[in-house]
Amino acid sequence: MLLTSERKKELFTKYGKAVTNTGNAEAQIAMFTERINHLTEHLKVKKKDFSTQRALIKLVGQRRSLLDYLQKNEINRYRSIIAELGIRK
């Protein structure tokens, strides 16, 4: 697994505002983005790794669901997380 416990703590502190706030939508989106970036780099090297490709598609869908939730309920939080993580819509 790419994300170490120290890296997760950093993400939760930065985006979730506390280490224990793991359910925050921004923190979850940041974690999904980290994993998506790692899997994308892996697939650039290993093009025929179809199980990783499927996992990547599932992660993108989960992140998209959280982003849709934020967009519907908290548009300012949505815009800020999109800008910080460099996610394109």
Side-chain angles (χ1 to χ4, degrees):
M1 182 81 188
L2 166 78
L3 292 176
T4 60
S5 60
E6 293 84 22
R7 181 63 182 147
K8 286 181 185 179
K9 287 178 184 177
E10 289 175 17
L11 288 173
F12 289 138
T13 304
K14 184 175 180 182
Y15 296 105
K17 309 298 186 250
V19 175
T20 58
N21 195 0
T22 59
N24 190 354
E26 287 95 340
Q28 289 181 10
I29 291 169
M31 281 208 15
F32 285 148
T33 302
E34 284 281 324
R35 291 177 62 196
I36 287 168
N37 291 338
H38 174 69
L39 291 179
T40 302
E41 292 301 316
H42 172 76
L43 283 173
K44 286 180 182 176
V45 176
K46 312 230 183 234
K47 296 183 185 341
K48 293 189 177 183
D49 190 355
F50 298 115
S51 60
T52 302
Q53 185 178 6
R54 183 174 187 270
L56 175 65
I57 291 169
K58 286 182 75 169
L59 280 175
V60 170
Q62 288 176 333
R63 183 178 72 177
R64 181 78 259 152
S65 297
L66 283 172
L67 286 170
D68 288 343
Y69 165 77
L70 272 183
Q71 185 178 21
K72 186 169 61 172
N73 295 323
E74 301 272 344
I75 192 70
N76 292 332
R77 286 172 56 193
Y78 169 78
R79 288 180 181 149
S80 67
I81 195 72
I82 290 288
E84 284 184 46
L85 294 176
I87 301 171
R88 57 189 168 98
K89 170 80 174 147

